[in-house]
Amino acid sequence: MQKMCGQDNPKHQCHCQGTRMERFIQPCLLLLLHEKPTHGYELMESLKEFGFEDGGDPGLVYRNLRKLEEEGFVTSEWETEGTGPAKRLYSVTDTGIDLIHSWSAHIQSNINRLQYFLQRYRNSLGSQPKNEE
Amino acid sequence: MQKMCGQDNPKHQCHCQGTRMERFIQPCLLLLLHEKPTHGYELMESLKEFGFEDGGDPGLVYRNLRKLEEEGFVTSEWETEGTGPAKRLYSVTDTGIDLIHSWSAHIQSNINRLQYFLQRYRNSLGSQPKNEE
DNA sequence: ACATATATATGATTATAACATATATAGAAA
DNA sequence: TTTCTATATATGTTATAATCATATATATGT
């Protein structure tokens, strides 16, 4: 049996599996880092604003940051000052900024595709009653 | 080196990797089959309207159809009449229709997330000049 | 006879997310 | 002072899905 999406209402269990937005975490991280250079743990907190439940999986966040750094879109340095364990502070590079622009263009075209789908959905099914589960 | 997205203009090679819309082929197949029961090969042709280049990979299309059938969202039967090789004709079931509704709700919420991103992008970067590659 | 269009299917590889843990620092509470 | 929690980063493992490659077969056009 396939996994369910859960969506907004935890009681409603639909089967659409439309939960994942592939790679979407990447532009979110870049944009957040452009707004304010910071570290992974705080980024997780901010990711909630972009719809990532609980800020997303730590593994996903930290690995994405490392990969972005490998590829030159962000840079990092250790911050040992202050309380608690050391933080790895990230900031966006110039190519990172370019990447945000690229992503934004792409996200706009994704919106267009999704809206095309909804348009067509409404034309053929939108006004019909739904079978409640 | 990471893969590039290609986007609209084949000459423009951006690095956003935002090409895939995970699982999006599923609601498209279901909606097309609701509009008109048909077979995989023709579905590939129609998928172009939803932004799938060349109608998407045949492997992806046929495997998705089989999986949807396994799960009871579509049914199929062989069509041996007519010219050319036999076609497997698919149509949507009632639970398949429900699934389209679920997907649509989800797609709407994905649009909202993407638009939230773009809004925030415009606030912090939208008016600035882009470094052309 | 050979190429092409139609039609379905499957094997193998790669990319990504999800799930599970491990490690370490520091403050608060008991 | 022991224990709990929050902070902070990291990695191993598995599951899922897209991509790439290829195989098979029917029919038509040249």
Side-chain angles (χ1 to χ4, degrees):
Chain A
M1 189 53 185
Q2 69 173 343
K3 215 177 148 188
M4 295 173 185
C5 84
Q7 217 172 300
D8 302 326
N9 177 353
K11 279 215 175 168
H12 172 77
Q13 300 270 293
C14 92
H15 297 70
C16 79
Q17 286 187 303
T19 38
R20 306 210 297 204
M21 294 230 275
E22 208 187 32
R23 304 260 66 213
F24 183 55
I25 198 174
Q26 189 182 93
C28 295
L29 289 172
L30 289 167
L31 185 56
L32 285 167
L33 287 174
H34 174 260
E35 288 175 6
K36 191 188 90 176
T38 184
H39 59 280
Y41 196 81
E42 195 173 64
L43 285 164
M44 288 179 62
E45 196 54 39
S46 309
L47 279 171
K48 293 179 188 168
E49 299 159 24
F50 291 89
F52 291 87
E53 240 178 299
D54 307 319
D57 185 85
L60 189 58
V61 173
Y62 289 112
R63 268 192 273 243
N64 264 279
L65 289 169
R66 291 307 210 86
K67 206 180 167 220
L68 285 169
E69 186 169 28
E70 261 178 52
E71 292 164 342
F73 300 117
V74 302
T75 49
S76 77
E77 48 183 86
W78 284 105
E79 165 70 72
T80 47
E81 313 278 299
T83 180
K87 310 174 222 306
R88 190 184 279 277
L89 282 178
Y90 286 91
S91 36
V92 192
T93 63
D94 286 345
T95 49
I97 302 281
D98 292 341
L99 187 52
I100 301 178
H101 290 304
S102 298
W103 262 109
S104 298
H106 216 95
I107 283 169
Q108 183 59 67
S109 77
N110 281 352
I111 289 174
N112 294 344
R113 283 179 79 180
L114 296 175
Q115 272 172 341
Y116 175 82
F117 175 90
L118 284 186
Q119 185 62 47
R120 198 148 162 177
Y121 160 74
R122 286 189 206 104
N123 286 345
S124 69
L125 276 164
S127 52
Q128 279 163 254
K130 305 177 191 186
N131 295 340
E132 287 306 334
E133 288 151 70
Chain B
M1 189 51 185
Q2 71 174 341
K3 213 176 148 188
M4 295 175 186
C5 84
Q7 218 172 289
D8 302 327
N9 177 353
K11 281 215 175 168
H12 172 78
Q13 301 269 292
C14 92
H15 298 70
C16 79
Q17 285 189 305
T19 38
R20 307 210 297 205
M21 293 232 274
E22 208 188 30
R23 303 261 67 212
F24 183 55
I25 199 174
Q26 191 182 92
C28 294
L29 289 171
L30 289 167
L31 185 55
L32 285 168
L33 288 173
H34 173 259
E35 287 176 6
K36 189 187 91 173
T38 184
H39 59 281
Y41 196 80
E42 194 172 66
L43 285 164
M44 286 177 64
E45 196 54 39
S46 309
L47 279 171
K48 293 178 188 169
E49 299 158 24
F50 291 91
F52 290 88
E53 240 180 299
D54 307 318
D57 184 85
L60 189 59
V61 173
Y62 290 113
R63 267 192 273 245
N64 264 279
L65 288 169
R66 294 305 211 84
K67 206 182 167 219
L68 284 168
E69 186 169 30
E70 262 178 51
E71 293 164 342
F73 299 118
V74 302
T75 50
S76 77
E77 50 183 84
W78 283 105
E79 165 69 70
T80 47
E81 315 277 301
T83 180
K87 311 175 221 306
R88 191 184 278 279
L89 283 177
Y90 286 92
S91 36
V92 193
T93 63
D94 286 345
T95 48
I97 302 281
D98 291 341
L99 186 52
I100 301 178
H101 290 303
S102 297
W103 262 109
S104 298
H106 215 92
I107 284 170
Q108 182 60 67
S109 77
N110 281 352
I111 289 174
N112 296 342
R113 282 179 78 181
L114 295 176
Q115 273 173 341
Y116 175 82
F117 174 89
L118 284 187
Q119 184 63 46
R120 199 146 161 179
Y121 160 72
R122 287 190 206 104
N123 286 346
S124 69
L125 276 164
S127 52
Q128 280 166 255
K130 303 178 190 182
N131 293 341
E132 287 307 334
E133 287 153 72

